[in-house]
Amino acid sequence: LGTILVRRIGNPLIRELEENEQRLRTILDTAADGIITSDAQGVINSFNQAAENIFGYLSQEAIGQNITRLIAEPNIGQPSNDNEANKGQLTGNQREMTGLHKNGGQISIEITVSEVQVNQARLITHIVRDITERKQSLMELHQREEELRLTFENAPVGIYICSLDGYIQRANHALCMLLSCSEQEILNRPVTALVHSNDQQQVRAHIDKFLAGQIESCTLEIDLAGKNANKIPCLLRASVIHDEGNSPQLCVVHIEDRSAHLKNELLIREHRERLAHLTRLSTMGEMAAGIAHEINQPLSAIATYAAACQRLLEREKPLPGEVLETLTKITNQALRAGEVIHRLREFIRDRKTTTELVACDAFIDEVSSSDHSYRCGAQSTFG
């Protein structure tokens, strides 16, 4: 009867223990992190499903092995001394370590070690998380940041990053070289402090538009203020940087030095003007016959009018009005000849090319009226 009572009482207790163990095993196997338990010497006595996925070993392969087989750390799994200074050296802290996969590869893991006493025996629990992907993502992020930093520092044009209200936060080497100063000299200074006084109002107006959200980018031709108060002609391009929530955060500004470009434009203009001067000189040789005609025409008119005037004076009763009219025509033709010479000298003179509006009708009338007056005057004089 006693045996029967023990069995009847004992069986539920055993089933309960088995159910608890099965429940614990289910919890361990469904945990996202690897959970490994070992004794004080590091011999593994439990190995959950997540640990199998991390290290590639089945639980039956790992149980009975030393944990040093899984972790590339000489002190891991070694029994801790009774000394209190060394007892907590490995336990309680979360550390990044290198795990050893079954295939021989290495994996990055994050491990937390805890130690408990069970029936006078020490049980060490290792909670392991695979952070290989996280480490790879961080490495790629650091690499991209380094690439961006190198691009920023070694850009051939000046670049600075400023707040939306126009205070400089970073500046690259090219900008410092352009302004002949160090980065520390311009950090936290307003953008307008770098701009020549003539353009400060224009820049301030665009900063106000950035703050009001009216514009996202702009392009300006401005003069920066050099160390010796000299003007540095530049092309400024500014654009707003947004955060993940699409809110404006910073402003990136590119500064392109246009000094060499403007100098080249000036040289091209000078060469073009010299070429135009040489062309005019060459044209003069081709126009020699026409020029001789243009000068000869008023000179012939002067000679004709002078002879007519002489004949008028030789009359018995010269008419003063006719003589005066003829002398006036002589004066006009002399002025005309002088004007031809003046225009000829202006044409061949080395000068800067300019353009101006000319009334074609007035120009044609001037030429035709001079020639017409000469012909009519000659006919009337000798008529």
Side-chain angles (χ1 to χ4, degrees):
L1 181 60
T3 302
I4 293 172
L5 288 174
V6 169
R7 287 179 179 176
R8 287 180 178 176
I9 295 172
N11 285 340
L13 292 176
I14 293 173
R15 283 198 301 273
E16 184 178 355
L17 290 174
E18 290 176 349
E19 290 174 357
N20 288 338
E21 183 178 357
Q22 183 62 33
R23 189 179 299 111
L24 179 61
R25 168 57 60 182
T26 301
I27 293 173
L28 291 177
D29 285 340
T30 55
D33 295 333
I35 301 176
I36 306 170
T37 60
S38 67
D39 58 18
Q41 283 71 38
V43 178
I44 299 172
N45 49 43
S46 71
F47 200 79
N48 74 338
Q49 182 66 46
E52 292 181 353
N53 296 333
I54 292 173
F55 293 100
Y57 291 98
L58 298 175
S59 60
Q60 57 267 30
E61 295 177 311
I63 293 174
Q65 300 293 330
N66 196 286
I67 197 169
T68 54
R69 188 173 182 178
L70 305 177
I71 302 173
E73 179 72 23
N75 296 325
I76 196 73
Q78 297 300 320
S80 58
N81 298 326
D82 291 335
N83 190 300
E84 290 297 327
N86 296 326
K87 187 174 182 180
Q89 185 177 4
L90 296 177
T91 61
N93 295 323
Q94 188 179 73
R95 296 194 300 165
E96 292 184 7
M97 305 180 72
T98 301
L100 302 176
H101 197 273
K102 181 181 178 180
N103 61 13
Q106 294 185 344
I107 52 177
S108 298
I109 59 174
E110 194 174 69
I111 186 168
T112 303
V113 180
S114 60
E115 187 176 333
V116 296
Q117 293 286 337
V118 179
N119 296 328
Q120 304 300 320
R122 293 184 15 238
L123 180 67
I124 301 176
T125 303
H126 308 80
I127 301 176
V128 183
R129 177 173 297 174
D130 187 358
I131 60 171
T132 303
E133 292 185 2
R134 188 177 77 185
K135 294 278 285 185
Q136 182 65 28
S137 298
L138 286 174
M139 186 180 300
E140 292 175 356
L141 178 61
H142 291 323
Q143 183 176 355
R144 287 196 295 270
E145 288 179 348
E146 181 64 14
E147 290 174 355
L148 288 174
R149 187 190 68 81
L150 292 175
T151 301
F152 177 81
E153 291 296 335
N154 298 300
V157 297
I159 304 175
Y160 66 82
I161 299 174
C162 65
S163 58
L164 293 180
D165 56 353
Y167 284 85
I168 299 173
Q169 297 182 354
R170 287 191 63 188
N172 73 341
H173 179 69
L175 181 65
C176 295
M177 292 295 293
L178 179 62
L179 298 174
S180 301
C181 64
S182 65
E183 185 179 6
Q184 296 301 321
E185 291 180 82
I186 59 177
L187 287 183
N188 301 318
R189 295 184 65 191
V191 172
T192 51
L194 309 182
V195 180
H196 195 271
S197 57
N198 295 342
D199 296 319
Q200 287 184 0
Q201 185 176 357
Q202 179 185 193
V203 173
R204 184 71 256 178
H206 280 78
I207 291 175
D208 293 339
K209 291 180 180 180
F210 277 121
L211 286 173
Q214 298 176 357
I215 58 174
E216 294 287 325
S217 62
C218 68
T219 301
L220 303 173
E221 289 189 6
I222 62 170
D223 291 330
L224 295 186
K227 258 195 169 181
N228 299 324
N230 59 319
K231 293 183 180 180
I232 306 174
C234 296
L235 183 65
L236 179 149
R237 295 186 179 93
S239 58
V240 174
I241 298 177
H242 296 81
D243 60 13
E244 295 179 355
N246 203 30
S247 298
Q249 289 291 104
L250 298 170
C251 187
V252 176
V253 181
H254 293 73
I255 300 290
E256 180 183 348
D257 184 7
R258 301 187 73 243
S259 302
H261 177 72
L262 295 178
K263 185 177 180 180
N264 289 336
E265 282 189 349
L266 180 60
L267 289 175
I268 291 173
R269 189 181 305 115
E270 290 177 352
H271 290 162
R272 188 176 297 144
E273 290 173 356
R274 290 176 184 173
L275 179 61
H277 178 229
L278 293 174
T279 303
R280 288 194 298 271
L281 291 177
S282 176
T283 305
M284 282 297 299
E286 300 174 1
M287 294 174 59
I291 293 170
H293 172 72
E294 287 295 325
I295 297 176
N296 185 61
Q297 189 177 26
L299 293 178
S300 298
I302 291 171
T304 302
Y305 288 135
C309 184
Q310 183 179 2
R311 282 192 290 271
L312 288 173
L313 292 174
E314 289 175 351
R315 291 179 180 179
E316 294 181 359
K317 294 181 179 180
L319 299 176
E322 293 182 359
V323 175
L324 181 62
E325 180 183 357
T326 306
L327 291 174
T328 301
K329 291 179 180 180
I330 292 174
T331 302
N332 291 336
Q333 293 300 320
L335 292 174
R336 182 186 173 195
E339 184 65 23
V340 171
I341 298 298
H342 174 72
R343 291 181 180 180
L344 178 61
R345 294 179 62 186
E346 284 294 316
F347 179 75
I348 63 175
R349 184 170 59 87
D350 187 8
R351 66 186 187 279
K352 292 185 178 179
T353 303
T354 58
T355 58
E356 60 178 298
L357 295 176
V358 176
C360 292
D361 292 343
F363 184 75
I364 294 172
D365 289 341
E366 179 186 355
V367 175
S368 60
S369 63
S370 298
D371 186 60
H372 179 70
S373 63
Y374 160 69
R375 292 196 302 270
C376 293
Q379 291 174 1
S380 63
T381 301
F382 293 103

